[in-house]
Amino acid sequence: EAGVVQSPRYKIIEKKQPVAFWCNPISGHNTLYWYLQNLGQGPELLIRYENEEAVDDSQLPKDRFSAERLKGVDSTLKIQPAELGDSAVYLCASSLGRIWNEQFFGPGTRLTVL
Amino acid sequence: EDQVTQSPEALRLQEGESSSLNCSYTVSGLRGLFWYRQDPGKGPEFLFTLYSAGEEKEKERLKATLTKKESFLHITAPKPEDSATYLCAVQAEAAGNKLTFGGGTRVLVKP
């Protein structure tokens, strides 16, 4: 069974440029998460989707970050415009549903903003 | 607010030298405590879920235990392939599926 797929794996951009990350969860997983992980720290939740609905986006900086999960499968996380402080690893995870605790993580996208 | 603190931040072990990692937590209504392993350049990999004080789970050289205030991950006779960052996370009853992670413990096992 394929795991969580993310692309690109690495991205280097100039500040003020837009950037987008893509995630394909494990087949059948209804719940999808986007996390941000700074170097030497644990992941922090940005947004959680139950199917197409964003049910927890309280930590998402909505002035520059946006996310969507069309058709309740793939998801895209966008930053526009990017700032130097956005340099981090962006992780996507999925789980079977809200009653299932085990989250499966993708490899992440390492973003560098110059 | 849920809080998770892991110690030590880093641990250097000789192969075969057993040790323990600590995860202290403050949460209102613990639904579960999770241990993950993360290798460089990869996402966290699930290891264990513990639900109640007194519970223990084992996998190969790893054993996780839980009390009302902390969890320990014991590494018995570690091998170099056990080198990784070990992350602890809590899930509160009122927080849906949200995981609150600690900062992790970086473990290096030297041959």
Side-chain angles (χ1 to χ4, degrees):
Chain A
E1 180 181 300
V4 176
V5 179
Q6 291 188 246
S7 69
R9 291 296 316 278
Y10 305 92
K11 188 75 176 178
I12 300 175
I13 61 172
E14 300 276 337
K15 63 181 180 181
K16 300 185 181 180
Q17 294 299 306
V19 65
F21 314 125
W22 176 80
C23 172
N24 182 248
I26 293 173
S27 178
H29 281 196
N30 298 324
T31 307
L32 183 146
Y33 315 77
W34 283 103
Y35 287 87
L36 177 153
Q37 186 174 27
N38 288 305
L39 188 65
Q41 298 182 24
E44 299 172 37
L45 182 69
L46 290 173
I47 188 168
R48 171 169 67 97
Y49 281 93
E50 298 287 346
N51 297 305
E52 302 89 356
E53 183 182 1
V55 295
D56 183 357
D57 62 355
S58 57
Q59 302 302 311
L60 191 72
K62 298 181 182 63
D63 57 336
R64 298 184 299 108
F65 286 64
S66 64
E68 61 182 11
R69 191 184 184 197
L70 302 177
K71 300 182 181 179
V73 181
D74 295 5
S75 179
T76 302
L77 178 68
K78 298 178 181 178
I79 308 175
Q80 182 171 9
E83 298 179 350
L84 295 176
D86 296 331
S87 295
V89 174
Y90 292 83
L91 293 163
C92 179
S94 68
S95 64
L96 275 172
R98 68 185 309 274
I99 64 170
W100 293 91
N101 297 322
E102 184 177 336
Q103 297 181 19
F104 295 85
F105 284 81
T109 297
R110 179 175 296 278
L111 173 67
T112 301
V113 182
L114 302 176
Chain B
E1 183 178 325
D2 304 335
Q3 288 191 328
V4 181
T5 303
Q6 292 188 246
S7 62
E9 290 187 3
L11 191 59
R12 295 167 66 99
L13 301 171
Q14 287 296 131
E15 184 172 2
E17 179 188 0
S18 300
S19 188
S20 295
L21 283 56
N22 178 265
C23 171
S24 297
Y25 64 89
T26 302
V27 63
S28 178
L30 180 70
R31 174 179 286 175
L33 185 139
F34 301 79
W35 283 98
Y36 283 83
R37 168 190 172 129
Q38 187 172 26
D39 292 298
K42 296 187 177 181
E45 175 188 348
F46 173 79
L47 292 173
F48 304 108
T49 309
L50 302 168
Y51 295 102
S52 57
E55 188 175 0
E56 300 182 351
K57 288 193 176 175
E58 291 188 62
K59 180 180 181 180
E60 297 180 354
R61 294 176 293 282
L62 301 177
K63 178 180 178 180
T65 61
L66 180 66
T67 72
K68 290 186 176 181
K69 295 184 177 180
E70 56 191 352
S71 177
F72 292 93
L73 183 66
H74 308 278
I75 310 178
T76 301
K79 298 181 177 180
E81 52 262 44
D82 294 322
S83 298
T85 295
Y86 291 86
L87 295 164
C88 168
V90 297
Q91 188 179 61
E93 290 178 351
N97 273 11
K98 177 182 177 180
L99 291 180
T100 300
F101 282 86
T105 294
R106 298 186 306 279
V107 175
L108 176 63
V109 183
K110 306 190 80 173

